[in-house]
Amino acid sequence: MSSKKKVLGLGLAVLVVLIISGSYLSSVNIPLLQPRGIVADKEFRLLLSVTGIMCIVVIPVFILLGYIVWKYRDTNNSKKKYLPDWDSNRYIEGLWWIIPSIIIFILSIITWNATYALNPFNPLASTEKALNIQVIALDWKWLFIYPSEKVASINKLVIPVNRPVHFYLTSDAPMNSFWIPQLSGQIYSMPGMQTQLYIMANREGHYRGWSANISGIGFASMTFDTAVTSDINFNHWAHQVDKTAPKLTNAAYSVLSRPSSYVAPKYYSHPQPNLFNDTISKYMVPGKQGMVM
Amino acid sequence: MGLISIFANFWLGKLNLQALPPNAIQWFGAILMLSVPIGLALLLTVKKKWKWLYKEWLTTQDPKKIGVMYILVALAMLLRGGADVMFMKTQQSISVGHNMGILSASHFQQIVSAHGTIMIFFVAMGLMFGLINLIVPLQIGARDVAFPFLNATSFWLFFAGMILVNASLVLGDFAATGWLAYPPLSELRYSPTVGVDYWIWSLEIAGAGSLLAAINFLVTIFKMRVKGMNFMKMPMFVWSVLGSLMLVAFAFPILTVTLGLLALDRDLGTHFFTAGGGGNMMMYVNLIWAWGHPEVYILVLPGFGVFSEVVSTFARKRLFGYTSMVWAIGAIVLLSFLVWLHHFFTMGAGSDVNAFFGIMTMIIAIPTGVKIFNWLFTMYRGKIRLESPILWFIGFVVIFTIGGMAGVLLAVPPIDFQLHNSLFLVAHFHMMIVGGVLFADFAAITYWFPKIFGFKLNEKLGRFTFWCWLIGFLTSFIPLYILGFMGATRRLNHYSASLGWQQLFIVSAIGAAIIGLGVGAQILQFVVSIIQRKNNLDTTGDPWDGRSLEWSTPSPVPFYTFARLPHVTERDAFWVAKRQKVEDKRPYEDIAIPKNSPLSMVIALGAFLLGFGIVWHIWWLAVSGLLTIIATIIIRSMDEETEYVLKASDVERLDKQYRMQTKTRETKLAVEV
Amino acid sequence: MSEAVTQTLNIIKSNKLIAKYDKDARDIFGFWVYLMTDCVLFASLFAVFAVLRHNTYGGPGASLLFSMPYALVETIILLTSSFTCGLAVLSAQLKHNKRVLFWFIVTFALGASFLGLELNEFHNFIAMGDSWRRSGFLSSYFVLVATHGLHITLGLLWIAVMSVFVLKRGISDLVMKRIRMLSMFWHFLDVVWIFIFTIVYLFGAIRV
């Protein structure tokens, strides 16, 4: 087989693989490409634009690689120019110091702005008041406390659509990372510390969330369903839980915080008002406030 | 009863019958692991090779042999790490919904952690130090390294760490914490077994070996270059090794401290990284990455160096943009200490901090890109022989560019929030390390094999290996990018069926199997090449029409390395010398050669006992290990006759013999043909 | 003819001398590189101390624990030992075996008393219940200072071994080179202690 035929065959094979995988990808559900919250949406757009800009360098690399290897491969009847001692050219080298530098400069500006704009601690602009939710990562489940609604839930997050949600996160277990890909990027939840995250869902539906950081043998089971519903439904749900669910007493919490995996959603009413802050400060000095980040 | 338990506690520490593997799969692993040394021992006994092994290899101080031992250990560990992959991929392909797969969660997590630890510390580092030992002295025209005894000790410490990491398969367990063992998960409270201790002490010991080796080769490169070879005339591989070793010297002490503090937390109850008690777990994360990020460049820089050599040799052209390349290495060395925070943008630091580290990370892409363009233009207007070393290079450019693009995405903090800890990240860093390090090491092994052993590797199987690796690798890791976009996180032993991830995990497993085929082909390549070595003899010492000094020696390199020290006036010294065709008429001189010594091994044995003793809290063992080390060093320091002299007349005789042999081999071959 | 032979011999001799000189320079340079890595090790421990300085977890802080006069005495002893170590090197250069031994013994005694004082301080803290288990701050204090102490212990061992060498073998080139390295090591530990004194004790006392 001549080398031309080989290359042709290779190209054909790549094409077939691309077609198969393309048709496969169009048939499956890819959460990151289907953002349902304004933060995730902005992050997704940023991803697209950065990828686009990088193609300015990456595509020439691939073209050059293919062209040079093909053109200058050692063939017997070669009449191609062969310059064994040609080893530098200030202008050409300058080109690939400067052009990538310009691109990185542009990317840097984008990065700087985007990092400020998408800081998870930043409140989101909205006419509605943010809903506060305290999140405690336990071994191996998530506890969500709604301080104003005075309800709490395990492995089930219910939030209203089109209203900012303000999470305060900590951990009463090893470090975890709180992540609902379709709504926003992740943030660590760490014992003795508090992190924050703002999100706002802009479409009703069910979105999966999980821990993205290994935290022990039950780590894979730390998934939860996020139900985004209308404001009315949300209030109804909170009211319902408040009326019917058992109370989250200290005793109930200490049972909860024992290690367990694959915990089904559970609801509680009247969580201890200081539960979240106590959880942080128990890792700190008595009397000293939690390290707020 | 009480007396017995006190007795047992003293002699055995925490070690008891429960340390044995708990189930069939783990027994299988343990027996497999034990069968290797037992099998080897049997073979050596049957063939009566113990003495040979001891004299020629175990006690050697010759960097060429030490390099070979490093590479052999690293390749064996590649098989171990690869076996881990097979377990992981099988588990992830079937552990969906109600099926919990073949491994328990803890066992799966141990395998994941062991895979990362072994691949980085015992495969990538081992291959790297192996190549440095083999090639750096040859390329700078030195007969030896600065401190031969220390060099052997470094290798044996690496070996001791390797044994300790593998001992965890037989006795006790391994860390189930991920390969960097973040606290508080890795603290005693959440990981009470010996797993994390195995992790700590195997890395402390191997890390000490790496640090000593770095000091050794830094001095070698700075002080032992042959006359005429100033810095700007060094081969690019030596430059990149220099950059890499400077990073080792600055980064590994940080690792030593970090692991040490974690060990103190676990063994003595300090509060460095504990949750509570005034500890600060994020400090661990900062410290480990202050080592960990430079580590990436420690591994990849020598890889870049290999490609610089391979590309210019196989394109038969001088390396393009030498000065640019040197500056690029310098920039990478400097910048690599300014980016560590990009490993945890999601910790919640301020926008300014995140943005700074994100931008610094992107800036590293510039010198890296420069290197790629320089390689491409080295091939431009060359005559490229498309043999397997350059195929590995082409594969590297493809994979590294895709991985690099993913890396720039991850460097933008808000994008990182979405991709951090996902399989996208896993795919990214595998592309960097497999593409940039492993592919380079394979190219290097093919390229330098004839120099060390005197015959080339089988090219057909080499190409087959390459294609298996390339296709298998892309099949295995492109799906991981997609899984990352689907939200799949790393280190999952189980996931829900409704997520639709299973097909991609299976594709990825198939890719891993193709790589496995490639590894099989590699082993076959070694076997076939050794059997058919007469067909592939390198009779000239210069099988690839090489450029740097190592090709001026006969193959395999004689034990005294250079009969006469080479003469350097320009870059690509040997290439220049070949063109000028000057005959060397200088007189031969006496050569001092270090004597063999078993003490390096004894020091490493002490280190192993120390590590093992601390892991299991067998304090008498730990103390005896420490005393062994100290006593051995003192004994060694009393020996003033560490070298013997090879007389100039003998050198002359041997050199002529060698060159005659080469000639007769050539004529023999001519007759055979 | 014979002239040519002597010339060649001289060249060979001088080559050997150069080789010997090269080797010594190489060893000393290598030791510098090692000291540099040790510097990074201590720098990491200082960084850890700086981060955990205020994490007293209800336990005592630096200003309560440390006594300046005590630390000052330790400092003076160690500085003096550095001086006597220097005197040992000077005597070694003059090949005064006995004087070298004398200064080694003095250095050893000073180093040992420094170590004794340090251990005594540790003992006092532990007796008061303020061990490394008490808080992050105390952990970092104990480990930073003890790491230095461990280096001192190794240094003492080294001095002892070198004394035996001087006694048994006199001051050969090899022994001289090692004495040089030993004194580099000892001075290095002095410098590290100055940092410990300033950052741990001095800053601690003035409540920064």
Side-chain angles (χ1 to χ4, degrees):
Chain A
M1 210 162 53
S2 80
S3 42
K4 269 190 190 167
K5 270 187 188 163
K6 267 189 199 169
V7 171
L8 211 69
L10 193 70
L12 217 69
V14 170
L15 201 70
V16 171
V17 170
L18 281 182
I19 291 170
I20 294 174
S21 41
S23 60
Y24 169 75
L25 288 180
S26 57
S27 71
V28 291
N29 182 20
I30 303 178
L32 249 64
L33 307 186
Q34 296 149 358
R36 296 288 181 260
I38 60 163
V39 178
D41 192 49
K42 281 180 186 158
E43 285 163 347
F44 173 57
R45 278 162 208 273
L46 187 63
L47 185 137
L48 288 185
S49 52
V50 174
T51 310
I53 293 171
M54 259 183 319
C55 285
I56 301 174
V57 179
V58 169
I59 291 175
V61 167
F62 281 129
I63 293 174
L64 271 177
L65 176 71
Y67 170 77
I68 291 176
V69 169
W70 179 250
K71 171 106 194 260
Y72 294 102
R73 73 192 192 284
D74 194 6
T75 47
N76 289 331
N77 57 347
S78 140
K79 280 183 186 168
K80 288 165 294 198
K81 252 191 186 172
Y82 171 49
L83 299 175
D85 291 323
W86 185 62
D87 67 353
S88 65
N89 181 315
R90 195 181 291 201
Y91 301 103
I92 306 184
E93 285 174 61
L95 211 64
W96 54 68
W97 276 103
I98 291 166
I99 293 181
S101 298
I102 293 171
I103 293 171
I104 294 295
F105 182 71
I106 296 169
L107 281 176
S108 300
I109 293 172
I110 295 176
T111 302
W112 187 269
N113 293 334
T115 308
Y116 272 87
L118 291 169
N119 185 336
F121 288 36
N122 283 356
L124 298 172
S126 169
T127 47
E128 305 242 9
K129 200 169 152 283
L131 169 70
N132 289 337
I133 299 179
Q134 297 163 335
V135 183
I136 304 177
L138 299 171
D139 265 345
W140 290 282
K141 60 242 155 200
W142 294 96
L143 174 62
F144 303 105
I145 302 170
Y146 298 71
S148 330
E149 286 70 20
K150 298 199 170 54
V151 295
S153 62
I154 284 281
N155 282 351
K156 174 86 182 183
L157 186 58
V158 183
I159 56 172
V161 73
N162 288 330
R163 180 176 164 195
V165 179
H166 184 185
F167 292 107
Y168 299 86
L169 303 103
T170 190
S171 172
D172 200 1
M175 184 170 96
N176 281 283
S177 193
F178 177 79
W179 189 24
I180 313 168
Q182 284 186 283
L183 298 183
S184 93
Q186 61 193 283
I187 188 102
Y188 286 161
S189 67
M190 300 167 280
M193 285 174 255
Q194 175 190 286
T195 47
Q196 300 174 46
L197 174 68
Y198 279 91
I199 65 167
M200 184 154 89
N202 52 17
R203 204 175 315 170
E204 290 183 31
H206 289 268
Y207 311 114
R208 201 178 279 262
W210 43 72
S211 169
N213 194 73
I214 189 168
S215 55
I217 54 168
F219 146 72
S221 77
M222 284 184 76
T223 62
F224 57 91
D225 174 52
T226 309
V228 177
T229 70
S230 67
D231 228 6
I232 303 167
N233 279 346
F234 170 74
N235 287 331
H236 179 71
W237 170 80
H239 189 69
Q240 215 42 39
V241 171
D242 184 37
K243 272 204 313 201
T244 58
K247 287 184 181 173
L248 184 57
T249 57
N250 282 338
Y253 178 77
S254 65
V255 172
L256 258 186
S257 58
R258 283 182 207 148
S260 58
S261 311
Y262 297 96
V263 180
K266 257 184 258 172
Y267 305 98
Y268 295 94
S269 63
H270 299 92
Q272 286 290 315
N274 289 328
L275 181 56
F276 183 78
N277 287 336
D278 288 349
T279 305
I280 295 177
S281 53
K282 81 176 177 198
Y283 290 100
M284 313 298 288
V285 189
K288 197 173 165 185
Q289 275 303 309
M291 179 171 138
V292 178
M293 299 193 60
Chain B
M1 185 62 208
L3 212 62
I4 291 174
S5 84
I6 288 168
F7 191 73
N9 259 337
F10 177 78
W11 288 107
L12 293 175
K14 294 199 273 181
L15 197 55
N16 57 34
L17 280 179
Q18 278 167 1
L20 293 172
N23 59 39
I25 288 183
Q26 275 162 280
W27 267 111
F28 174 72
I31 290 169
L32 208 64
M33 187 44 65
L34 280 175
S35 66
V36 175
I38 293 174
L40 276 178
L42 277 177
L43 192 71
L44 285 166
T45 315
V46 170
K47 295 256 175 190
K48 299 202 169 115
K49 288 281 188 185
W50 277 108
K51 205 170 173 188
W52 164 81
L53 185 75
Y54 181 81
K55 273 193 147 171
E56 293 291 320
W57 294 94
L58 302 186
T59 56
T60 187
Q61 310 258 307
D62 182 348
K64 297 181 286 293
K65 286 184 176 170
I66 291 171
V68 171
M69 289 196 289
Y70 262 117
I71 290 177
L72 283 177
V73 172
L75 291 178
M77 284 300 100
L78 183 68
L79 296 182
R80 157 83 213 266
D84 290 341
V85 172
M86 292 306 158
F87 278 109
M88 277 150 56
K89 291 288 171 192
T90 311
Q91 171 78 7
Q92 290 188 319
S93 302
I94 61 175
S95 177
V96 187
H98 292 299
N99 189 336
M100 295 304 285
I102 48 168
L103 306 171
S104 68
S106 158
H107 190 200
F108 176 83
Q109 289 167 353
Q110 288 176 45
I111 289 178
V112 171
S113 315
H115 168 76
T117 308
I118 286 174
M119 287 301 196
I120 294 289
F121 284 92
F122 298 101
V123 178
M125 290 295 272
L127 288 172
M128 173 187 134
F129 275 116
L131 287 174
I132 291 176
N133 264 286
L134 290 178
I135 301 308
V136 166
L138 285 171
Q139 282 199 336
I140 60 171
R143 291 204 176 97
D144 209 327
V145 298
F147 313 114
F149 180 76
L150 191 67
N151 193 31
T153 310
S154 298
F155 166 74
W156 285 107
L157 287 174
F158 165 79
F159 191 85
M162 183 277 285
I163 297 286
L164 200 56
V165 116
N166 286 301
S168 69
L169 267 185
V170 183
L171 290 175
D173 57 357
F174 195 66
T177 52
W179 80 284
L180 283 184
Y182 281 8
L185 180 61
S186 56
E187 292 285 359
L188 207 56
R189 174 167 173 194
Y190 297 106
S191 299
T193 60
V194 294
V196 177
D197 300 304
Y198 266 124
W199 179 80
I200 290 173
W201 291 101
S202 61
L203 298 195
E204 282 284 42
I205 293 169
S210 303
L211 188 58
L212 294 176
I215 293 173
N216 199 344
F217 278 93
L218 279 175
V219 179
T220 307
I221 294 173
F222 272 114
K223 293 278 181 187
M224 292 178 73
R225 277 166 292 130
V226 73
K227 227 184 225 169
M229 184 181 280
N230 61 25
F231 279 112
M232 291 313 269
K233 285 175 190 155
M234 292 197 307
M236 194 47 64
F237 178 68
V238 179
W239 259 115
S240 39
V241 167
L242 181 62
S244 161
L245 294 181
M246 282 166 117
L247 288 176
V248 173
F250 278 101
F252 268 73
I254 306 177
L255 178 72
T256 307
V257 167
T258 314
L259 295 175
L261 299 185
L262 183 61
L264 289 172
D265 272 4
R266 292 176 59 86
D267 292 329
L268 292 182
T270 54
H271 292 288
F272 287 102
F273 312 123
T274 50
N280 185 337
M281 49 176 281
M282 291 319 290
M283 182 170 66
Y284 178 92
V285 180
N286 273 288
L287 284 170
I288 200 84
W289 283 115
W291 158 80
H293 198 82
E295 168 70 7
V296 178
Y297 291 94
I298 288 167
L299 295 176
V300 88
L301 278 177
F304 287 172
V306 168
F307 285 133
S308 296
E309 302 294 315
V310 162
V311 168
S312 76
T313 303
F314 284 84
R316 296 196 181 102
K317 228 178 122 241
R318 286 170 71 100
L319 182 67
F320 193 83
Y322 182 93
T323 319
S324 275
M325 291 297 231
V326 172
W327 281 105
I329 290 172
I332 290 174
V333 166
L334 204 71
L335 285 169
S336 67
F337 272 106
L338 296 173
V339 300
W340 80 89
L341 196 125
H342 71 216
H343 294 270
F344 44 97
F345 283 143
T346 49
M347 169 183 134
S351 310
D352 42 358
V353 174
N354 278 354
F356 171 80
F357 280 96
I359 290 169
M360 279 302 164
T361 307
M362 289 178 183
I363 292 177
I364 290 202
I366 300 172
T368 314
V370 165
K371 292 186 83 78
I372 290 190
F373 282 111
N374 276 334
W375 287 320
L376 292 179
F377 271 73
T378 302
M379 296 195 289
Y380 182 76
R381 298 213 159 134
K383 276 187 184 173
I384 310 166
R385 282 168 295 174
L386 286 173
E387 296 194 49
S388 48
I390 204 118
L391 289 182
W392 288 112
F393 168 74
I394 295 168
F396 150 76
V397 175
V398 171
I399 286 176
F400 203 75
T401 310
I402 301 174
M405 188 157 129
V408 174
L409 283 179
L410 288 162
V412 183
I415 301 179
D416 180 73
F417 295 159
Q418 279 288 26
L419 298 173
H420 181 58
N421 269 342
S422 73
L423 289 177
F424 184 95
L425 172 76
V426 172
H428 156 70
F429 70 70
H430 278 85
M431 289 213 153
M432 303 319 265
I433 292 180
V434 174
V437 181
L438 214 53
F439 276 27
D441 291 336
F442 291 155
I445 289 174
T446 318
Y447 179 55
W448 279 308
F449 192 88
K451 181 48 46 200
I452 304 304
F453 293 102
F455 57 96
K456 283 195 197 180
L457 287 172
N458 184 303
E459 175 66 11
K460 256 191 188 162
L461 281 166
R463 279 163 189 269
F464 183 71
T465 304
F466 165 75
W467 286 109
C468 285
W469 267 94
L470 185 72
I471 295 169
F473 187 76
L474 291 173
T475 316
S476 190
F477 285 90
I478 298 291
L480 295 197
Y481 280 122
I482 303 165
L483 279 167
F485 277 128
M486 290 178 162
T489 53
R490 55 198 298 204
R491 298 159 179 159
L492 282 180
N493 60 307
H494 176 254
Y495 49 91
S496 144
S498 62
L499 291 162
W501 295 347
Q502 191 178 16
Q503 288 144 325
L504 286 172
F505 270 119
I506 291 174
V507 173
S508 175
I510 293 171
I514 299 175
I515 296 177
L517 190 66
V519 173
Q522 254 164 322
I523 296 171
L524 194 67
Q525 185 195 24
F526 286 123
V527 174
V528 168
S529 306
I530 291 171
I531 293 173
Q532 304 180 339
R533 62 185 174 279
K534 292 226 167 75
N535 306 339
N536 292 322
L537 282 185
D538 166 28
T539 53
T540 57
D542 180 25
W544 313 109
D545 195 5
R547 317 180 67 83
S548 38
L549 292 176
E550 73 270 31
W551 304 111
S552 70
T553 63
S555 301
V557 189
F559 64 98
Y560 49 79
T561 315
F562 292 101
R564 282 172 293 204
L565 284 181
H567 195 64
V568 174
T569 49
E570 271 190 69
R571 233 172 261 164
D572 289 346
F574 183 54
W575 174 262
V576 173
K578 274 191 287 189
R579 279 207 219 164
Q580 289 168 344
K581 290 189 178 150
V582 195
E583 214 179 315
D584 196 348
K585 283 183 177 159
R586 292 171 300 160
Y588 290 88
E589 47 185 38
D590 292 354
I591 300 177
I593 295 176
K595 289 181 195 163
N596 282 8
S597 163
L599 295 183
S600 294
M601 247 190 326
V602 178
I603 290 177
L605 177 71
F608 174 79
L609 296 180
L610 175 65
F612 191 81
I614 299 177
V615 167
W616 287 101
H617 289 192
I618 309 174
W619 301 118
W620 65 268
L621 194 66
V623 171
S624 13
L626 188 64
L627 292 179
T628 309
I629 296 173
I630 293 172
T632 314
I633 293 172
I634 293 175
I635 290 170
R636 169 75 190 180
S637 75
M638 295 194 291
D639 188 359
E640 295 191 29
E641 304 290 318
T642 57
E643 291 177 335
Y644 69 94
V645 173
L646 192 65
K647 289 257 164 52
S649 54
D650 290 330
V651 178
E652 184 166 4
R653 185 175 48 80
L654 283 168
D655 190 43
K656 286 191 174 147
Q657 219 170 25
Y658 244 111
R659 301 211 180 253
M660 274 301 279
Q661 259 176 13
T662 325
K663 269 192 191 149
T664 46
R665 267 202 252 170
E666 257 169 69
T667 42
K668 251 192 202 166
L669 273 180
V671 170
E672 276 170 24
V673 171
Chain C
M1 175 68 199
S2 68
E3 207 173 70
V5 170
T6 29
Q7 247 180 12
T8 326
L9 276 176
N10 280 342
I11 289 171
I12 290 174
K13 257 189 193 164
S14 65
N15 269 349
K16 266 188 184 159
L17 272 179
I18 289 171
K20 165 101 194 40
Y21 171 78
D22 276 357
K23 199 171 174 315
D24 283 1
R26 201 192 291 160
D27 292 354
I28 298 279
F29 178 70
F31 200 71
W32 275 113
V33 179
Y34 153 71
L35 286 184
M36 201 264 320
T37 64
D38 222 7
C39 240
V40 179
L41 185 132
F42 275 108
S44 313
L45 285 173
F46 276 112
V48 168
F49 180 80
V51 171
L52 296 182
R53 206 147 55 94
H54 299 296
N55 293 17
T56 50
Y57 202 63
S63 55
L64 257 172
L65 274 183
F66 304 142
S67 137
M68 275 306 286
Y70 197 90
L72 203 61
V73 171
E74 284 178 287
T75 310
I76 290 167
I77 290 177
L78 200 63
L79 284 179
T80 317
S81 82
S82 228
F83 180 67
T84 56
C85 184
L87 290 177
V89 175
L90 280 180
S91 322
Q93 272 166 346
L94 301 171
K95 310 264 173 199
H96 275 303
N97 293 10
K98 278 186 184 159
R99 239 185 259 172
V100 174
L101 272 180
F102 172 74
W103 288 122
F104 267 163
I105 290 168
V106 174
T107 311
F108 188 95
L110 287 169
S113 35
F114 169 85
L115 204 62
L117 284 175
E118 192 170 294
L119 288 175
N120 181 49
E121 188 181 33
F122 284 0
H123 175 78
N124 288 343
F125 290 162
I126 294 166
M128 285 189 295
D130 299 324
S131 78
W132 55 81
R133 293 165 186 274
R134 182 70 189 84
S135 69
F137 157 69
L138 277 163
S139 302
S140 65
Y141 158 76
F142 270 101
V143 170
L144 172 59
V145 176
T147 305
H148 179 262
L150 214 59
H151 277 74
I152 291 281
T153 314
L154 286 179
L156 291 179
L157 187 66
W158 195 356
I159 292 175
V161 172
M162 286 322 292
S163 305
V164 176
F165 266 89
V166 173
L167 203 65
K168 295 264 172 189
R169 296 190 186 174
I171 300 185
S172 63
D173 288 350
L174 183 79
V175 172
M176 187 61 222
K177 182 178 75 191
R178 288 187 183 156
I179 290 177
R180 282 226 171 82
M181 288 182 183
L182 168 60
S183 97
M184 278 160 69
F185 185 68
W186 201 255
H187 292 313
F188 165 74
L189 292 184
D190 223 33
V191 174
V192 173
W193 178 258
I194 297 291
F195 277 94
I196 292 181
F197 177 71
T198 315
I199 292 172
V200 177
Y201 293 95
L202 210 60
F203 285 9
I206 56 178
R207 298 181 196 215
V208 174

